[in-house]
Amino acid sequence: MNNNFSFIDSQYSTPQGAYYDNTGRMGGGGGGGMSGPTDSFDNELPLLEELGINFDHIRAKTLSVLNPLKKIDSHIMDDTDLGGPILFGLLLGFSLLMSGKVQFGYIYGLGLIGCVSMYVVLNLMSEKGIDIYRVISVLGYCLLPMIFLSFTSLIININGLVGYILIGFAIVWSTYSASKMFVKVLSMIDQRILVAYPVGLLYTGFALITAF
């Protein structure tokens, strides 16, 4: 009988050096017991990454737009990052709001129509295909020149010769950057002009919203 009780005590006794905290959870001990909830929290991704917001990716894609002549990686759009496009859309609307233009509805309305249209066109032209989220990501990041144009309009009047030159430059800049990303991701180098045409029309619409 005593042997049986000693066997039970050895199975369920607290390991040497262990203790129980106020919540009843065992701590200390040198026996390497079961891992607690803390280990699972350590392995979780940061909240912003779970929401699809990765500042390293946003910075890399923004730099690709700022320097369109730089060679880009074909895997730059492997992740469906929408944090940057949403931020740039808000910045464009805010800059127009500072000049007395409430254009948020036009910005997101034109953006929605443009993204859906480009999604259809690119999937008809490409054998690889592309999902709608990557289309939104590319077109959203390439709004950056339009944001520069909008903030410039707060300083100078762009409804003149100099302004028209700046508008044309912003359209070409956005179109070049976006078409470069699309043809790189979809391996459509020979069709770049065909890709650039509808993209240019879209950014012309954003330029008109910004200028007028």
Side-chain angles (χ1 to χ4, degrees):
M1 178 69 72
N2 292 333
N3 291 335
N4 292 336
F5 280 118
S6 62
F7 174 76
I8 294 173
D9 290 340
S10 65
Q11 291 293 318
Y12 295 97
S13 61
T14 303
Q16 184 177 2
Y19 61 90
Y20 289 93
D21 59 15
N22 294 331
T23 63
R25 188 169 56 192
M26 183 184 296
M34 295 177 62
S35 59
T38 306
D39 295 336
S40 62
F41 286 126
D42 292 338
N43 295 328
E44 288 186 358
L45 292 173
L47 178 60
L48 291 177
E49 290 190 20
E50 289 186 356
L51 296 175
I53 301 174
N54 190 313
F55 289 107
D56 290 334
H57 293 175
I58 293 175
R59 181 179 59 84
K61 294 173 185 177
T62 302
L63 292 176
S64 296
V65 178
L66 290 175
N67 187 6
L69 300 179
K70 180 182 177 181
K71 185 178 180 180
I72 62 174
D73 186 4
S74 60
H75 300 287
I76 191 172
M77 287 296 166
D78 283 353
D79 64 316
T80 55
D81 170 34
L82 299 181
I86 293 174
L87 175 62
F88 288 164
L90 290 173
L91 279 175
L92 180 59
F94 177 73
S95 61
L96 292 174
L97 186 62
M98 292 178 64
S99 62
K101 304 174 185 177
V102 184
Q103 305 283 23
F104 286 98
Y106 290 106
I107 291 172
Y108 284 101
L110 179 61
L112 178 61
I113 295 173
C115 289
V116 172
S117 301
M118 285 304 304
Y119 168 73
V120 174
V121 170
L122 290 173
N123 280 284
L124 289 175
M125 295 174 59
S126 170
E127 296 180 357
K128 297 175 62 175
I130 189 172
D131 59 74
I132 186 66
Y133 301 107
R134 286 177 174 81
V135 174
I136 296 173
S137 184
V138 172
L139 295 177
Y141 275 104
C142 294
L143 272 177
L144 193 56
M146 296 299 160
I147 297 174
F148 292 153
L149 177 65
S150 182
F151 278 106
T152 302
S153 68
L154 299 175
I155 303 173
I156 64 172
N157 182 15
I158 60 174
N159 292 322
L161 178 60
V162 176
Y164 295 152
I165 294 174
L166 293 176
I167 291 171
F169 179 74
I171 293 173
V172 171
W173 186 357
S174 294
T175 302
Y176 183 88
S177 298
S179 61
K180 182 179 181 180
M181 290 186 184
F182 280 135
V183 300
K184 187 68 174 180
V185 171
L186 298 175
S187 302
M188 300 169 59
I189 303 298
D190 296 334
Q191 298 173 292
R192 183 166 184 177
I193 295 178
L194 297 177
V195 173
Y197 177 70
V199 173
L201 291 178
L202 174 62
Y203 287 117
T204 300
F206 282 113
L208 292 176
I209 292 175
T210 302
F212 305 104

